[in-house]
Amino acid sequence: MNYSGNLFVVAAPSGSGKSTLVKALMEVDAGVVPSISHTTREPRGHEKDGREYFFVDDAEFQRMIDAGQFLEWAQVHGHRYGTSRQTIETCIQTGCDVVLEIDWQGALQIRKLFAAAILIFVLPPSLDELRARLQCRGEDAPEVIDQRMVNARKELAQVHYFDYVIINTIFERALFDLKAIVHAQRLRYATQKLVNANTFATLHIN
Ligand code: 5GP
């Protein structure tokens, strides 16, 4: 495939700071575009349809599955989440870098479809800190937080499938790590050869 862009897949347990990190990356790097997922969960206070997610009901989500519109989808914390095939295909055609913020199940499905996808896992510094961040967010009921903590232990056990690990203790450091991963991928031979084809030609490099 003649794809000069990169597909970054970022996974982490809820509360690890993954969304904030990815948002901060996109603020400083216009070359990275997000893939906005569909979900059957209700929007949280500040969330807007089409910005954080496309919020759909179960029937619409099922219709999209049946129509083959998802590249991957998974059941997470009792709701369904999916990545639109069209969004990714458009990015790939235009050669941009795309970042998917999805759970580990989705990340492994993406890896099967795109062997070159770059899988990044964001770890919290500790389980206590993870719970404190979920509580501090003030968006989920205590029983939802308990469920997310149970799920977090299972999610953390999947980290060995990932290419890169970022430990989000200090936000600025974690953002630096994420930027470094993105930058390094752009310097890979295959990408450089496509993006800087003229330079390669001038240098008579095949
Ligand atoms: P939240 O409800 O906290 O926004 O997200 C819950 C989990 O679902 C997070 O781990 C998030 O990354 C994941 N998620 C969001 N979108 C997708 C998606 O399109 N596919 C999959 N597999 N997981 C997703």
Side-chain angles (χ1 to χ4, degrees):
M1 183 176 28
N2 195 23
Y3 172 42
S4 58
N6 293 295
L7 192 54
F8 297 102
V9 183
V10 186
S14 280
S16 301
K18 169 183 61 166
S19 302
T20 315
L21 265 179
V22 169
K23 194 162 165 269
L25 171 72
M26 288 184 305
E27 275 166 14
V28 294
D29 187 338
V32 180
V33 298
S35 161
I36 300 168
S37 297
H38 286 69
T39 182
T40 58
R41 85 151 160 77
E42 292 294 313
R44 297 194 186 108
H46 63 285
E47 291 179 332
K48 280 203 174 67
D49 188 49
R51 190 177 64 188
E52 283 81 9
Y53 286 105
F54 294 106
F55 296 96
V56 294
D57 61 18
D58 269 315
E60 173 62 5
F61 199 96
Q62 189 58 47
R63 191 199 61 72
M64 292 182 73
I65 295 174
D66 295 341
Q69 289 180 17
F70 290 124
L71 206 52
E72 65 74 34
W73 70 270
Q75 179 97 14
V76 191
H77 309 312
H79 300 285
R80 291 192 286 181
Y81 297 80
T83 305
S84 150
R85 183 181 294 278
Q86 202 191 339
T87 308
I88 304 303
E89 283 175 356
T90 307
C91 282
I92 286 174
Q93 278 154 18
T94 53
C96 58
D97 287 339
V98 60
V99 62
L100 271 61
E101 255 185 80
I102 60 180
D103 88 309
W104 67 271
Q105 306 167 80
L108 298 189
Q109 289 182 55
I110 293 289
R111 160 72 36 96
K112 281 194 193 139
L113 295 170
F114 298 93
I118 300 119
L119 269 48
I120 305 165
F121 203 98
V122 181
L123 291 176
S126 69
L127 288 173
D128 285 347
E129 177 63 21
L130 186 65
R131 181 179 283 279
R133 287 181 188 176
L134 285 170
Q135 286 166 340
C136 189
R137 203 158 78 169
E139 286 171 337
D140 296 307
E143 59 276 15
V144 174
I145 293 181
D146 287 344
Q147 187 56 51
R148 288 189 177 229
M149 288 302 296
V150 171
N151 293 346
R153 287 171 184 269
K154 295 180 198 148
E155 290 161 16
L156 293 172
Q158 314 303 323
V159 65
H160 63 100
Y161 288 116
F162 286 69
D163 301 309
Y164 293 100
V165 178
I166 296 175
I167 301 177
N168 188 8
T169 308
I170 299 168
F171 178 78
E172 286 72 22
R173 172 67 211 214
L175 179 59
F176 174 85
D177 291 346
L178 183 58
K179 286 196 281 193
I181 295 166
V182 170
H183 189 61
Q185 294 306 316
R186 289 177 178 158
L187 300 179
R188 290 180 70 90
Y189 167 77
T191 306
Q192 289 281 41
K193 192 163 180 283
L194 277 171
V195 173
N196 293 302
N198 288 344
T199 307
F200 274 62
T202 310
L203 296 169
H204 306 288
I205 305 170
N206 290 318

